[in-house]
Amino acid sequence: MSKLSERVRVELRDLAPYKPGKPIEEVQRELGLERIVKLASNEYPENAFPEVVEALQKEILELNRYPDATWHELLDAATSVYPITRGEILFGNGGNEILELLVHLMCGPGDEVVYAHPSFPIYGLLARSHFDTGVSVPLDSDQKHDLQAMLDAITERTRLIFICNPNNPTGTWVTETEFVAFMEKVPEDVLVVLDEAYVEFVTDPRFPRFFELRTRFANLASMRSFSKVYSLAALRIGYLLGSEEVVGLLQRVRQPFNANRLAQRAATVALQHQDRVAERREANSRGLDQLRSGLHDLGCATLPSQTNFLLTRPPEPVDDLFDRLLRQGAIVRPMGSFGLGEGSFRVNTGTAEENRIFLDGLGRVLRGED
Ligand SMILES: *Cc1c(COP(=O)(O)O)cnc(C)c1O
């Protein structure tokens, strides 16, 4: 280790960097394949709404100008879609930045942030780099959040709890009844953040209704993203819905231009097309049905999911499954780095054709015909 590396904060020295899903271009280059379907990063399979793309073509002529640090137009759009005031929403450079700002706001040395495992790996990464404040609680035997165990994990040092609902990478979810019983027992000085990155895909009526619950629990907030149903992953924009108090506190720690000009424009226009969100929710349900029945026909088990992905496991462990699927032209997400063992993998809904390409390729691999 160099002298410089020895000066790095002790809790950061052996932190492993986040492993993202492979970009399509990289796989194509490596394997010389023509057609590749990427079902590995829970992206929506089509580009952003056409109205968004059109608006961006104009916005791109003003790249020399800083973005609006006060998000004026974006707040107009958000407050007409959601039952909130302008002071109850905070935008960020992706939902990921929102999560980071929350840890930054709440956690100093000796404090604790509670989250589930396996869940979104960013919580652990952020907590470790903020004075090693992470406390992870295993999912229950149904791969759902174990809310009782999470309550038991709360101590005087707990400042923040992340509940990824529905959970990435399992797709499982907690119901409103379960969640309310949990919230009733969480101390009011502990901030509970629902990570609702997939909320637009949810169809189960028992899912927690954030806008009703927030009036009951002042210590509740919801993180959301434009990266999934809105197809804006490349632009990096997400937000937090919360009380004026929490949003006001976060305003102090954010960078003035944390939501860039193109992202703000795109998000503003995207919000104005909720009809398209509803269409995509239905298309996604059909995609899940197609994937689920195709996987079951191949003998693969799946977990219930309210997201745009399934966690699945082949009937028997398959050597080099991920690489063999790659050679069949399908990128999925192996679950080793999520702590779910090497046997299972996560696959998200593509177009009907992409889903078929993936299922055909998986079938060939499982039958040893690859
Ligand atoms: C995608 C995702 C996010 C946010 O992603 P951004 O691209 O940073 O907006 C947050 N949490 C979970 C669980 C996600 O899957």
Side-chain angles (χ1 to χ4, degrees):
M1 197 189 289
S2 78
K3 284 230 157 84
L4 181 69
S5 295
E6 282 169 27
R7 291 283 178 234
V8 168
R9 273 163 43 196
V10 99
E11 68 273 27
L12 300 182
R13 283 190 200 151
D14 52 14
L15 203 61
Y18 179 75
K19 262 199 193 162
K22 280 200 174 207
I24 292 185
E25 296 80 2
E26 186 183 324
V27 179
Q28 269 171 331
R29 252 192 331 264
E30 281 174 12
L31 297 177
L33 289 173
E34 235 168 68
R35 176 86 201 258
I36 296 207
V37 301
K38 184 187 177 202
L39 306 174
S41 298
N42 300 345
E43 298 149 339
Y44 197 80
E46 287 161 28
N47 198 11
F49 306 155
E51 297 84 353
V52 170
V53 174
E54 198 189 318
L56 286 176
Q57 275 157 359
K58 290 192 196 124
E59 202 64 36
I60 212 157
L61 302 175
E62 293 192 59
L63 295 181
N64 55 322
R65 304 290 171 202
Y66 278 99
D68 178 358
T70 67
W71 315 315
H72 187 82
E73 286 185 10
L74 183 48
L75 284 173
D76 286 346
T79 52
S80 63
V81 171
Y82 297 128
I84 51 156
T85 63
R86 301 176 85 86
E88 292 171 329
I89 182 165
L90 186 110
F91 294 94
N93 185 40
N96 276 6
E97 191 204 11
I98 299 294
L99 302 176
E100 177 160 30
L101 291 173
L102 286 161
V103 177
H104 189 86
L105 178 73
M106 299 303 291
C107 296
D111 293 336
E112 290 174 355
V113 41
V114 174
Y115 48 85
H117 179 81
S119 187
F120 194 43
I122 300 296
Y123 313 138
L125 207 73
L126 290 173
R128 281 194 69 184
S129 60
H130 277 80
F131 314 107
D132 212 359
T133 45
V135 175
S136 73
V137 177
L139 297 178
D140 69 14
S141 54
D142 295 329
Q143 307 285 11
K144 282 179 61 174
H145 274 70
D146 189 340
L147 294 178
Q148 184 56 50
M150 294 184 90
L151 282 174
D152 295 341
I154 297 175
T155 71
E156 288 197 339
R157 295 192 291 270
T158 308
R159 299 287 175 271
L160 182 61
I161 303 177
F162 287 123
I163 307 278
C164 190
N165 203 42
N167 188 43
N168 181 6
T170 57
T172 53
W173 66 103
V174 298
T175 65
E176 181 162 299
T177 314
E178 292 162 341
F179 185 66
V180 167
F182 166 81
M183 283 304 293
E184 279 170 346
K185 298 200 188 91
V186 175
E188 60 187 17
D189 61 349
V190 173
L191 180 60
V192 177
V193 176
L194 287 165
D195 178 337
E196 299 191 302
Y198 299 95
V199 71
E200 295 90 352
F201 294 118
V202 168
T203 55
D204 181 356
R206 296 169 307 162
F207 195 81
R209 287 161 296 179
F210 172 74
F211 292 107
E212 291 177 28
L213 297 179
R214 67 186 281 267
T215 59
R216 233 173 114 186
F217 302 105
N219 58 334
L220 178 64
S222 164
M223 183 234 85
R224 298 182 179 194
S225 172
F226 284 94
S227 298
K228 307 286 158 58
V229 80
Y230 292 104
S231 301
L232 294 174
L235 286 182
R236 314 304 306 129
I237 184 155
Y239 54 104
L240 187 84
L241 300 163
S243 66
E244 277 195 15
E245 183 185 12
V246 167
V247 169
L249 290 165
L250 288 166
Q251 288 282 12
R252 303 180 197 173
V253 294
R254 74 161 172 110
Q255 299 272 338
F257 304 116
N258 64 337
N260 74 69
R261 172 176 283 275
L262 296 178
Q264 286 193 47
R265 186 85 212 111
T268 302
V269 177
L271 279 172
Q272 293 159 354
H273 293 278
Q274 293 303 307
D275 48 332
R276 293 193 184 273
V277 174
E279 283 168 22
R280 287 184 169 200
R281 175 167 41 249
E282 284 165 32
N284 180 65
S285 288
R286 290 192 295 273
L288 282 179
D289 287 344
Q290 182 190 0
L291 282 181
R292 205 183 279 116
S293 70
L295 285 164
H296 291 176
D297 288 346
L298 294 171
C300 298
T302 58
L303 283 177
S305 172
Q306 286 286 306
T307 62
N308 65 341
F309 59 84
L310 293 173
L311 185 65
T312 184
R313 185 189 288 277
E316 280 150 40
V318 182
D319 287 336
D320 306 321
L321 176 65
F322 177 71
D323 288 329
R324 288 166 67 186
L325 265 176
L326 269 188
R327 274 178 247 123
Q328 296 295 318
I331 318 178
V332 298
R333 195 64 169 271
M335 283 290 112
S337 65
F338 283 72
L340 277 163
E342 299 297 335
S344 54
F345 64 91
R346 191 189 68 194
V347 56
N348 65 257
T349 54
T351 61
E353 191 199 2
E354 289 172 336
N355 296 340
R356 194 179 43 73
I357 291 174
F358 153 72
L359 289 167
D360 289 350
L362 180 63
R364 284 191 291 275
V365 170
L366 293 182
R367 291 188 299 269
E369 293 166 5
D370 56 324

